[in-house]
Amino acid sequence: MPKTILIIEDEQTIVDILKFHLEREGYACEYACDGQEGLRMALSLNPDLILLDIMLPVLDGFEVCRSLRGRGVQTPVVMLTAREDEADKVFGLELGADDYVTKPFSLAELSARIKANIRRTAEPADGALPRAAHGEPSNELCYGGLTLHLGRMEAYRDGGALELTQREYDLLQFLAQNADQVFSREELLERVWNYEYYGDLRTVDVTVRRLRGKIEENPAEPRYIVTRRGAGYLFKS
Ligand code: CA
């Protein structure tokens, strides 16, 4: 079954280019030319990934993304931004978007991003499960008041379920499974985001900041995800 990509974009030329290119790469494409139609199609088609323009008629891309996440839809969303300052907004507004590319984008770059984002959700982070005291594989990681259920991909703080996006969870699990090791932002992009060739390092900082806002008692003085200046991040056991 080919993976389905929903393109929500009002510029027909861009839609045509994207469709042509993505179908040649083996994806099935659907498209909507305004935000409201896009939202409706995202909910009814359940695509594998959504390419979402920001400036759209009726509902803009920010509203579409927020609305999807508000309904619990966790489909990876890659925002198509026209300017760098829009890119900042994508993460600044905490919409739950997974990634963005800035127009004009290279098709090779876009393909790599799409592949990485689809792979993230199709294959949850692997890596050896930690061992419990009696030697059996454990499905839980506990540090202080923080608990991760690896099988269910859920995290709890002091018993309360945390609302984490897929990427936030992946980052938390990766760091927690490798507690007390420092990872550079480049390493995290490669290991958690699956970016092999390039990547925007700010993506890591923004995701760490969002994660701290959800898991830390005091995000300004984090107990779990600590910054090592000039080196990267580590999870403190
Ligand atoms: Ca547009």
Side-chain angles (χ1 to χ4, degrees):
M1 266 271 281
K3 302 280 184 194
T4 304
I5 297 178
L6 174 61
I7 303 163
I8 309 178
E9 164 69 77
D10 60 331
E11 273 173 72
Q12 193 60 46
T13 343
I14 296 183
V15 173
D16 291 344
I17 293 169
L18 287 173
K19 253 180 80 87
F20 176 79
H21 175 74
L22 293 173
E23 284 174 355
R24 209 179 44 183
E25 298 237 307
Y27 297 104
C29 292
E30 299 286 342
Y31 82 97
C33 57
D34 72 60
Q36 186 165 298
E37 176 71 1
L39 180 59
R40 193 190 61 73
M41 286 176 73
L43 294 170
S44 63
L45 287 172
N46 192 23
D48 295 285
L49 182 133
I50 299 168
L51 288 177
L52 179 58
D53 186 31
I54 291 178
M55 296 302 288
L56 287 167
V58 195
L59 281 181
D60 70 26
F62 295 130
E63 293 169 303
V64 172
C65 191
R66 195 182 287 119
S67 178
L68 285 172
R69 295 302 185 238
R71 293 162 198 247
V73 175
Q74 291 302 323
T75 309
V77 173
V78 177
M79 308 283 286
L80 304 173
T81 68
R83 304 183 310 263
E84 269 301 316
D85 59 328
E86 275 187 355
D88 289 336
K89 253 177 113 182
V90 168
F91 290 125
L93 289 174
E94 317 219 335
L95 310 159
D98 296 275
D99 207 346
Y100 69 88
V101 289
T102 306
K103 296 179 196 171
F105 43 79
S106 86
L107 290 171
E109 177 184 346
L110 184 70
S111 290
R113 297 277 180 117
I114 288 173
K115 221 175 277 170
N117 278 284
I118 288 183
R119 195 167 45 195
R120 274 320 308 142
T121 45
E123 301 163 18
D126 51 9
L129 291 177
R131 299 263 155 186
H134 47 284
E136 291 297 309
S138 163
N139 238 359
E140 265 186 27
L141 278 180
C142 295
Y143 293 105
L146 200 64
T147 305
L148 273 76
H149 284 287
L150 302 183
R152 280 185 276 155
M153 305 187 77
E154 288 169 356
Y156 297 84
R157 198 184 88 178
D158 301 327
L162 293 167
E163 294 269 329
L164 302 181
T165 66
Q166 177 80 39
R167 190 81 70 186
E168 289 163 358
Y169 178 85
D170 289 345
L171 178 63
L172 179 60
Q173 176 175 320
F174 177 79
L175 288 171
Q177 281 183 316
N178 297 283
D180 303 315
Q181 296 176 50
V182 180
F183 293 94
S184 70
R185 295 181 299 167
E186 288 87 348
E187 285 172 317
L188 290 173
L189 268 187
E190 192 189 319
R191 308 277 295 267
V192 180
W193 275 258
N194 275 319
Y195 289 168
E196 282 149 20
Y197 312 110
Y198 52 79
D200 187 337
L201 295 176
R202 275 182 311 177
T203 307
V204 177
D205 300 326
V206 172
T207 309
V208 166
R209 198 165 64 222
R210 290 201 304 217
L211 197 47
R212 279 177 176 156
K214 295 178 181 181
I215 67 171
E216 302 283 356
E217 197 98 27
N218 177 5
E221 283 177 36
R223 142 76 179 85
Y224 299 108
I225 301 180
V226 176
T227 306
R228 283 280 178 271
R229 198 173 291 279
Y233 297 105
L234 96 162
F235 185 96
K236 266 196 349 206
S237 63

